Amino acid sequence: MLKLYGFAVSNYFNMVRMTLAAKGLDYEVVKTFPSQSSEWVSMSPMGKVPCLETEHGFIAETRVILEYLDEQYPEKSVFPTGSYDKARARQLMHSLELYLELPARRLFPGALFGGRNEELTINEVKPVLEKGVRTINQLANCGPYLMGDTPMAPDYMALYVLPLAQAVAKKTYGWNLLADISGSAELLSALNNNEHAQQFNAESAKEMAEFVGGLKPK
Ligand SMILES: N[C@@H](CCC(=O)N[C@@H](CS)C(=O)NCC(=O)O)C(=O)O
């Protein structure tokens, strides 16, 4: 059986879980935190989660895992058919990660973790996020999902990337980023209606509460 390594608070882990659920695949979760231990790095070379264990070996990097799952288990595909539409789906996924998720992560310390961000970082990230928003608007065909009326792999990324980018942009710039992505409210509402999304959100909230509880002095 497939094994998925990661933890419930992880955005990327949840993107894979949504895809596995959409495809109706059985898998076992192995709760794992990122680390540079030699054992973990031998499975996930950057030490990150998620990582998927298949009958052939390990695969890391979320977008690659999603594509592997779709090729290996073509039933209930989460990519459109046809090279052009598939490439557009991949372009959306790259754009969500490179131009929203990753720049937003640079601001985590000040926006989410009670630290502070350097002025330089704050100024560098804003135009990247703005261009990222423009890109998603240009590529998306919200109806209500990013590729039309059926949820697909880009949606399972957007479900976790958009709220995070919104939280960071709001806290850092007072910017309601989601209001600038047309159809995002309908998209997130449709995706959050999914029973698996609700289950993973609940697990994430529970794990986050345990984590925060663990930080409080006893
Ligand atoms: N590009 C990676 C990113 C995964 C990632 O950053 N995961 C976070 C947890 S949500 C992590 O492992 N962080 C630890 C680290 O960056 O070393 C992917 O697509 O899977």
Side-chain angles (χ1 to χ4, degrees), residues 10-209:
S10 159
N11 251 5
Y12 288 95
F13 174 72
N14 286 321
M15 294 169 198
V16 181
R17 285 188 94 188
M18 283 299 288
T19 302
L20 287 160
K23 296 182 73 60
L25 294 170
D26 281 337
Y27 64 101
E28 183 189 327
V29 167
V30 185
K31 188 169 177 176
T32 307
F33 295 103
S35 91
Q36 295 297 316
S37 75
S38 50
E39 191 199 1
W40 180 239
V41 166
S42 72
M43 302 179 203
S44 174
M46 287 297 287
K48 294 179 190 267
V49 299
C51 178
L52 183 75
E53 184 174 352
T54 74
E55 60 185 312
H56 304 290
F58 295 93
I59 307 171
E61 294 300 322
T62 301
R63 284 184 272 131
V64 178
I65 294 173
L66 301 196
E67 295 205 23
Y68 166 81
L69 288 171
D70 216 54
E71 267 178 38
Q72 185 71 9
Y73 307 97
E75 288 271 301
K76 300 191 188 159
S77 180
V78 292
F79 284 89
T81 47
S83 309
Y84 180 74
D85 288 343
K86 201 176 257 187
R88 293 284 283 193
R90 290 189 180 124
Q91 188 180 351
L92 258 167
M93 293 162 75
H94 277 260
S95 303
L96 283 164
E97 180 172 17
L98 297 180
Y99 311 126
L100 291 180
E101 173 87 21
L102 293 180
R105 277 179 182 254
R106 293 184 64 197
L107 298 170
F108 272 11
L112 304 183
F113 297 156
R116 71 174 278 284
N117 291 322
E118 296 292 333
E119 222 34 52
L120 180 66
T121 315
I122 293 174
N123 293 336
E124 274 177 2
V125 167
K126 181 96 186 286
V128 182
L129 291 176
E130 285 168 344
K131 286 186 270 181
V133 164
R134 184 183 70 201
T135 299
I136 303 308
N137 276 323
Q138 199 168 320
L139 297 175
N141 174 24
C142 285
Y145 300 106
L146 290 173
M147 306 294 298
D149 58 8
T150 312
M152 300 220 166
D155 297 294
Y156 301 136
M157 291 191 71
L159 174 58
Y160 300 101
V161 171
L162 295 183
L164 181 137
Q166 162 76 357
V168 167
K170 195 87 214 290
K171 187 82 202 256
T172 312
Y173 308 109
W175 171 24
N176 187 359
L177 174 147
L178 283 184
D180 290 342
I181 299 185
S182 48
S184 62
E186 295 76 8
L187 170 69
L188 291 174
S189 152
L191 287 168
N192 278 312
N193 240 337
N194 176 296
E195 59 173 314
H196 301 291
Q198 286 170 12
Q199 180 199 331
F200 302 149
N201 286 343
E203 288 177 22
S204 170
K206 183 164 173 274
E207 199 169 87
M208 181 63 97

